[in-house]
Amino acid sequence: MLADDRASAGLGIELVEVTAGRAAARMTITSAMVNGHGIAHGGFVFTLADTAFACACNSYGPVAVAAGADITFVAPAREGDVLTATAQERVTYGRSGVYDVTVVRVDGDVIAEFRGRSRTIRREGEVK
């Protein structure tokens, strides 16, 4: 899935870990990702967290998509910061799942907390 994700690749996001229900992705904040306040635009931090979430909820094999997500920004990131988002499955039930993602800077400071809700989708021809 990530090999075909041009959005994540274009931002320089790289997968650094994936196991069942867990994934970590890394990205460096570039000058193009900084807003008018001189800090990383929240949309880029969200995208990094969302990528880790997507890899974690797709780590089992069935195709899963986001049913919803929210993020809390805890501290600013700046140009040159290397951020790692680590996603961890909390619970799955039926075709749904809940995943928590923590985004940290290399020094260990938490930048954001993200919660994603996944839904596995049926493929064409599958019985409801």
Side-chain angles (χ1 to χ4, degrees), residues 73-118:
F73 299 106
V74 177
R78 303 193 187 286
E79 183 178 348
D81 284 348
V82 177
L83 305 181
T84 301
T86 303
Q88 178 66 54
E89 178 184 279
R90 293 298 172 217
V91 64
T92 58
Y93 51 101
R95 294 176 31 224
S96 300
V98 176
Y99 293 76
D100 286 334
V101 185
T102 300
V103 180
V104 299
R105 194 175 13 244
V106 170
D107 62 10
D109 286 348
V110 174
I111 300 303
E113 292 288 344
F114 170 109
R115 174 158 277 193
R117 296 169 302 284
S118 69

Side-chain angles (χ1 to χ4, degrees), residues 22-100:
R22 181 178 169 86
R26 183 173 42 225
M27 175 180 80
T28 301
I29 300 299
T30 67
S31 62
M33 298 174 179
V34 175
N35 65 23
H37 297 293
I39 59 177
H41 189 290
F44 292 108
V45 177
F46 186 99
T47 301
L48 173 63
D50 188 50
T51 298
F53 161 58
C55 291
C57 66
N58 279 282
S59 63
Y60 295 109
V63 175
V65 296
D70 58 78
I71 193 166
T72 301
F73 299 106
V74 177
R78 303 193 187 286
E79 183 178 348
D81 284 348
V82 177
L83 305 181
T84 301
T86 303
Q88 178 66 54
E89 178 184 279
R90 293 298 172 217
V91 64
T92 58
Y93 51 101
R95 294 176 31 224
S96 300
V98 176
Y99 293 76
D100 286 334

